[in-house]
Amino acid sequence: MKRFLSFIAVCGWLLFPVGVLAQQVRTIYDARLDLKAAVLSPVEEALMKEKVLPAAGKEWHDQELAGTCVAGKAPRVIDVARGSFTKPDSDQKAILYRYCETGHNRALNGIAIVEKGAVVCHLAYPG
């Protein structure tokens, strides 16, 4: 019994810092929900056109995936979430976008984190 209690105490001690230091989880997109299309501000729209989409196009071209896009499927914003994504206590927006579709339920996607009119982080990924 003493070993069991010692084991539980050690497990609790190891898990305690994880709970204390963890940040709140924020959902960016939930495909189970039927959402209205996200609307970007003019500044965010310009950032997407001038910074994010050209960088995504270069990423997909460098990986030789750009040729897999279905013709006629333009990039589009899927959803936007507010929160602190790259640093604590910041006012940021995570913009989830689809660069292009590559087939049935497959696409080249990305997430751009915007803060104070600038892109602070951008991740392009196949989905």
Side-chain angles (χ1 to χ4, degrees):
M1 181 69 172
K2 189 174 182 178
R3 282 187 184 174
F4 177 73
L5 291 175
S6 297
F7 175 75
I8 295 298
V10 169
C11 288
W13 179 75
L14 290 174
L15 295 176
F16 176 75
V18 173
V20 171
L21 300 176
Q23 291 185 1
Q24 180 182 2
V25 175
R26 297 198 183 273
T27 301
I28 296 174
Y29 178 70
D30 186 343
R32 300 169 296 175
L33 303 177
D34 190 21
L35 302 173
K36 295 184 291 184
V39 178
L40 299 178
S41 72
V43 171
E44 293 163 345
E45 191 75 42
L47 282 173
M48 289 297 291
K49 288 180 183 174
E50 296 169 10
K51 303 279 186 196
V52 175
L53 296 178
K58 182 178 180 338
E59 176 70 22
W60 300 125
H61 182 72
D62 289 351
Q63 292 187 33
E64 299 178 355
L65 290 173
T68 63
C69 293
V70 175
K73 298 290 184 178
R76 65 186 173 101
V77 172
I78 304 297
D79 205 2
V80 178
R82 289 190 96 87
S84 300
F85 301 101
T86 62
K87 62 183 177 183
D89 301 322
S90 57
D91 183 23
Q92 299 175 327
K93 285 186 178 179
I95 302 171
L96 176 69
Y97 69 91
R98 175 164 288 160
Y99 181 75
C100 73
E101 293 183 12
T102 59
H104 180 66
N105 204 25
R106 295 179 58 91
L108 302 179
N109 302 315
I111 298 174
I113 308 297
V114 176
E115 180 180 8
K116 296 180 183 173
V119 177
V120 295
C121 183
H122 179 218
L123 171 70
Y125 64 94

